[in-house]
Amino acid sequence: MSTAQMEKKGLFNRFLNVVEKVGNKLPHPFILFIYLAIFLMIVSFIVNLFDVTVTHPTTSEEIVAKSLLSKEGVLYMLSSMLDNFTGFAPFGLVIVMMFGIGLAQKVGFFETFMKSTIIRAPKGLITYAIIFTGVLGNIASDAAMIIIPPLAGMVYYAIGRHPLAGMAAAFAGVGIGFTANFLIAGTDALLSGITTEAARIIIPDYTVTPVDNWFFMCASVVMLVFVGAFITDKIVEPRLGKFDPKYADQGLINEKISNPTSQEIKGLRNAVIAGGLYIVILAALIVPVNGFLRSDEGTIIPSPFISNIIPIILIMFILVAVVYGKTAGTIKKSADVPTLMAEAMKDMSGYIVLIFAAAQFISYFNWTNLSTITAISSSSLLQNANFTGMGFVVSFILLVTIVNLVISSGSAQWALMAPVFVPLFMLLDYDPAFAQLAYRIGDSTTNNISPVNPYVIMVLGFMKRYDSRFGFGSIISLMLPYTLIILVIWIVMFLAWNLIGIPIGPGTGVYLDQ
C-alpha cells in the first residue's frame, strides 16, 4: 500500500486528519490566552449575577464569585497587569536557567556531547545511545531536535541499518522523553513555577520546587531508554524492512558524518572535569552533618541546597560552558560570555511574550475565585461519586494526552489546566507535585504524534530525504508504537511508584501530608 493510500484509509488516520484540521485552526497560544481572558470576563459576569458561592473545605471561608466586568474587576485588571507578569513564578526561574543552559548551547557543548555519545557508541548499543542522548539532550531544547534525529539517521545508514529507524529512535528520545532527565532542566523550573501559582489558590504560601519530580524523572530516563530501544529494534525497524536508497536524496546518501574535532573533544573532556570538581565541592558542603548547605537542624530536605537549586545549577552550567568554550575556541575573550548569553535570550523571546498573556489569564482566573469554585465543586462531585483514587489520576493522564493533540506547547497547556486541576488534586489530598507529574506523563507521550507539533513536520522533512514517499500518516504510524507502549508502561510505573510509596522527589510524596 502506498503512503498516499495509507494516509487516506483507516479510522485512526481519519481521526488524525480531523485533529490536524482542528489543531491548525487554533490560534497562537498568546492569542488563545487573550480569547480565554475575554471568555473568562463573560463567564465571571454571569456567575456573579447568580451569586454562586462555595465553602472552602480547610478554612470554612465562604468563596464568592467575582466579576471582571465590574468596576472592581476592571481596576484590578489594569492595576495588576505589570505585577502579574513580573511576579509570575516561572518567569524568573526559566530566564535564570537559560542564562546557563543557553550559554552551554551557544558555545557548542551540547552538540559535541551529543555527537560524541552517539558516534562513539558500540554498534550493539547504538540504539540505546541514541535514545539516551535524545532524552538527556532535551536540556538543550530545540538544539536536540535539530541535531540528534538527522545524526541518528546518518549513523544507522553508516552501519547498514535503516536510517528511518535511527531517526525514529532519536525522535522518540527527544520528544517523548523531553520531560525526563538526570539533570534539573528548564522544564522543571517552568512547570514547577506554574504549579506553585496554581497550588497557592488553596494554600497561599505553598511552593513546588524544580526538584519535586526528580526521583521519578531519573527512573523514567532508564525506562525510556530500554523500552524505546526494544520498540525500535523489535517493532519499528522490522516493520520498515530493507532500506531502498533509490527513494533517498543522493546528496544525503553521500554525506559523511562530521566527527567532533580534537579541540572539541578536549573541550568536552575539560568541561566534564570542571563539572565533576564542582559536584565534589558541592558534596563537601552537603554531605557533612554540619554542611554549609544543610539547614540549621542538619537536614537536607528542607535546606538551603534545595531552596537554592536553580542558582546552584546555573553556576554549574556557566562553569562547564566557559571551560568548554575557552578550550574549544568558541569563547575567545571574556566579553563573549555575556554576548552569547544575550543570543540565547533572543531564543526565549517567544516564551516571554507567551508568559505575559498566560500570567494575566491565570491571575484573572484566581481573582474571580472561579478556579477555587470549580475545584471545590469538582472535588465534591468526585468524592460523592467515590472517584478519587488512581482511576481518577489515570483518567487525568489520558485527558492530557488528548488535549496535547491540539495544544503543542507544554507550558501553555499546563498554564491552562493547572489552575483547575492542581487545586482539585489538592482537595483530594494529592500533592501538587504529584498532579504535575501525572501531567508530564500525559503531555510527553503524545508529543510525537501531535499534528500541531511543529517538530513532527520538521522531523518528517528530515525523513523524506531518506524516503520521498514518506508522508504525515507515515511518521504517525512510525511513532505510534512508542506512544502507546511507553504510555502504558509509564502509567504502570507511576501506579507502582504510588503503591510502593517511594518519594517522587526529595521530600515529596504522593499525598499532601507526606
Side-chain angles (χ1 to χ4, degrees):
M1 183 179 291
S2 70
T3 300
Q5 290 173 319
M6 287 175 60
E7 291 177 347
K8 290 179 181 178
K9 294 186 177 182
L11 180 62
F12 182 68
N13 277 319
R14 287 199 294 271
F15 165 73
L16 288 175
N17 289 337
V18 172
V19 171
E20 182 178 14
K21 288 180 181 178
V22 172
N24 288 340
K25 290 181 179 179
L26 284 175
H28 186 280
F30 177 88
I31 303 299
L32 180 61
F33 278 115
I34 299 297
Y35 290 160
L36 286 170
I38 295 171
F39 177 72
L40 183 62
M41 294 176 197
I42 298 170
V43 171
S44 68
F45 175 76
I46 295 172
V47 174
N48 178 257
L49 283 179
F50 288 93
D51 295 323
V52 174
T53 63
V54 295
T55 302
H56 198 289
T58 57
T59 65
S60 299
E61 176 189 358
E62 187 178 53
I63 308 296
V64 181
K66 295 191 289 186
S67 171
L68 285 168
L69 296 180
S70 64
K71 177 181 177 180
E72 182 187 11
V74 172
L75 290 176
Y76 172 77
M77 287 188 286
L78 292 173
S79 63
S80 67
M81 185 176 292
L82 294 180
D83 289 339
N84 293 342
F85 179 51
T86 59
F88 193 55
F91 184 63
L93 291 175
V94 177
I95 294 298
V96 169
M97 281 287 287
M98 284 309 299
F99 280 137
I101 293 174
L103 179 62
Q105 178 183 335
K106 292 297 180 182
V107 299
F109 171 78
F110 288 126
E111 182 174 355
T112 301
F113 170 77
M114 293 171 194
K115 286 184 176 181
S116 299
T117 304
I118 294 174
I119 294 173
R120 295 187 172 192
K123 286 186 178 181
L125 299 177
I126 194 68
T127 306
Y128 298 90
I130 287 172
I131 298 174
F132 178 73
T133 306
V135 174
L136 294 193
N138 66 57
I139 200 167
S141 189
D142 296 353
M145 195 65 72
I146 295 168
I147 296 169
I148 299 178
L151 178 61
M154 293 177 70
V155 170
Y156 256 53
Y157 178 71
I159 62 175
R161 297 180 64 175
H162 203 300
L164 293 184
M167 296 185 76
F171 191 30
V174 179
I176 297 177
F178 93 97
T179 194
N181 214 306
F182 288 143
L183 302 174
I184 304 302
T187 302
D188 298 286
L190 176 58
L191 295 182
S192 64
I194 295 173
T195 308
T196 294
E197 292 281 344
R200 288 178 177 175
I201 295 171
I202 301 299
I203 303 176
D205 59 348
Y206 201 93
T207 299
V208 177
T209 74
V211 299
D212 278 1
N213 292 157
W214 186 47
F215 293 164
F216 188 88
M217 286 295 106
C218 286
S220 295
V221 172
V222 178
M223 181 276 290
L224 288 166
V225 170
F226 282 95
V227 174
F230 174 84
I231 295 169
T232 303
D233 295 342
K234 303 299 181 181
I235 299 176
V236 171
E237 191 167 16
R239 182 175 177 275
L240 285 168
K242 184 176 176 61
F243 175 62
D244 189 345
K246 75 178 181 180
Y247 295 104
D249 181 337
Q250 292 306 308
L252 179 66
I253 295 300
N254 296 327
E255 282 183 6
K256 300 290 185 182
I257 298 175
S258 174
N259 289 292
T261 66
S262 59
Q263 194 173 7
E264 289 172 336
I265 293 297
K266 185 178 179 181
L268 183 63
R269 183 199 65 194
N270 290 349
V272 170
I273 292 172
L277 291 174
Y278 179 79
I279 292 172
V280 169
I281 294 171
L282 202 59
L285 299 174
I286 299 170
V287 175
V289 176
N290 60 345
F292 183 74
L293 291 177
R294 283 182 178 249
S295 69
D296 293 337
E297 292 73 29
T299 62
I300 297 177
I301 306 170
S303 68
F305 170 68
I306 297 297
S307 59
N308 295 291
I309 191 70
I310 293 297
I312 288 171
I313 293 173
L314 168 66
I315 294 169
M316 183 184 74
F317 275 114
I318 291 177
L319 173 65
V320 167
V322 169
V323 171
Y324 174 86
K326 291 291 288 185
T327 307
T330 51
I331 294 178
K332 301 185 183 303
K333 56 184 184 297
S334 59
D336 290 341
V337 174
T339 300
L340 291 171
M341 281 184 173
E343 288 181 11
M345 286 300 102
K346 291 178 183 177
D347 299 335
M348 295 293 293
S349 58
Y351 162 77
I352 294 171
V353 171
L354 174 61
I355 280 297
F356 177 79
Q360 307 307 321
F361 170 75
I362 292 175
S363 177
Y364 298 165
F365 199 25
N366 294 344
W367 184 86
T368 60
N369 288 328
L370 290 182
S371 56
T372 307
I373 291 171
T374 302
I376 293 173
S377 301
S378 301
S379 67
S380 298
L381 182 64
L382 291 172
Q383 287 171 339
N384 292 335
N386 199 29
F387 191 59
T388 59
M390 286 298 111
F392 159 71
V393 177
V394 172
S395 298
F396 171 70
I397 294 174
L398 297 178
L399 172 64
V400 173
T401 65
I402 295 170
V403 175
N404 194 45
L405 293 175
V406 292
I407 301 179
S408 63
S409 170
S411 58
Q413 184 182 343
W414 188 226
L416 287 172
M417 301 184 76
V420 173
F421 285 98
V422 170
L424 177 55
F425 269 79
M426 293 176 73
L427 291 169
L428 296 175
D429 199 35
Y430 292 114
D431 194 291
F434 183 70
Q436 175 182 280
L437 183 56
Y439 167 78
R440 294 173 79 159
I441 292 172
D443 179 59
S444 299
T445 46
T446 47
N447 277 332
N448 292 24
I449 62 168
S450 173
V452 297
N453 183 352
Y455 293 116
V456 172
I457 305 302
M458 186 183 74
V459 173
L460 174 60
F462 292 148
M463 289 181 169
K464 285 179 75 69
R465 296 191 66 193
Y466 284 103
D467 191 335
S468 59
R469 301 167 298 173
F470 233 63
F472 182 75
S474 307
I475 190 173
I476 295 301
S477 64
L478 194 66
M479 301 313 301
L480 197 57
Y482 295 101
T483 291
L484 296 178
I485 295 173
I486 290 175
L487 176 61
V488 171
I489 293 176
W490 221 342
I491 289 175
V492 170
M493 177 180 166
F494 181 71
L495 296 177
W497 204 278
N498 170 52
L499 290 173
I500 297 172
I502 306 172
I504 58 176
T508 307
V510 173
Y511 300 102
L512 273 170
D513 56 358
Q514 287 183 315

